[in-house]
Amino acid sequence: MTDWLMVIGLTLLAGMAMPAGALLAGLERVRPNWLDRELRHGIIAFGGGALLSAVALVLVPEGIAKVNTLVSASCFVAGGLAFMWLDITLYRNKTPASQMAAMLSDFVPESIALGAAFAAGGNGGVLLACLMALQNLPEGFNASRELQASTDYRTLRIAKGFALVALLGPLCGLLGFGWLSAYPEAVAVVMLFAAGGICYSVFQDIAPQAKLERRWGPPMGAVLGFVLGMIGHQLTMG
């Protein structure tokens, strides 16, 4: 299979984890108390762990290898500030889709980075695609719950919308593969910017929601999410 087809397939697969998460959120009617108090928090924590592994194992190492220290630090901080600005803006406008906006704001740059990684060769693109899927599942879950609570949208309608959003993945991936791959420094900037934004999102939105009083199991989801990233990293290195 040619590389550009791999980019399309992997970014689409990672993106489709978003509607899959939305459908999972619709299972709350089966056992709502159990879902709310255990599974939901565990899934959120798992996504946070997967996001941290993407930052620590892919985005930052790949980014700092191509630009100097000042540029690396500036891009990382700029990403955090941009996500903070987005968070403040959505809060002030009382937008009922802040989780969906956060989901898109890391999915798009990561898809661009995945395409560029394939153009540059190596196994980083496959690892990044796996991590994207791991993080998009709980993000889709959380965004769907947010929309259900603030609108009259049903689960199936939300899942269909997320499936359309997933098509942005192949488009951005091909952009990175066909154009930005010729500019490795630009790709590094995108990776570090996304890493800073993800780091902000984890500690602003995900980690606080994962905590559950008198329950100690859900935080292990973060450990499991990160260790899956570690395993993937070691397998692709081999």
Side-chain angles (χ1 to χ4, degrees), residues 8-100:
I8 293 175
L10 288 174
T11 50
L12 185 60
L13 181 64
M16 291 306 292
M18 293 185 287
L23 292 174
L24 182 61
L27 296 178
E28 63 174 327
R29 295 177 182 175
V30 179
R31 296 183 66 182
N33 293 330
W34 169 72
L35 183 65
D36 281 340
R37 294 190 59 80
E38 296 290 342
L39 180 62
R40 179 173 182 268
H41 292 265
I43 288 175
I44 291 171
F46 183 89
L51 283 167
L52 285 178
S53 68
V55 170
L57 300 175
V58 181
L59 297 174
V60 168
E62 294 285 339
I64 62 176
K66 297 180 176 65
V67 293
N68 63 45
T69 303
L70 179 59
V71 174
S72 297
S74 299
C75 292
F76 191 88
V77 172
L81 289 173
F83 275 54
M84 182 177 71
W85 172 82
L86 176 63
D87 209 19
I88 293 171
T89 301
L90 291 173
Y91 174 78
R92 287 178 174 173
N93 294 332
K94 303 187 184 304
T95 304
S98 59
Q99 294 291 335
M100 186 175 70

Side-chain angles (χ1 to χ4, degrees), residues 158-180:
I158 295 172
K160 287 179 179 178
F162 286 3
L164 290 176
V165 168
L167 297 178
L168 288 173
L171 293 175
C172 295
L174 289 176
L175 173 65
F177 181 81
W179 180 50
L180 285 181

Side-chain angles (χ1 to χ4, degrees), residues 58-60 62-63 109 113-114 116-117 128 186-196:
V58 181
L59 297 174
V60 168
E62 294 285 339
L114 185 149
L128 185 56
V187 175
V189 167
V190 171
M191 286 183 166
L192 291 165
F193 184 88

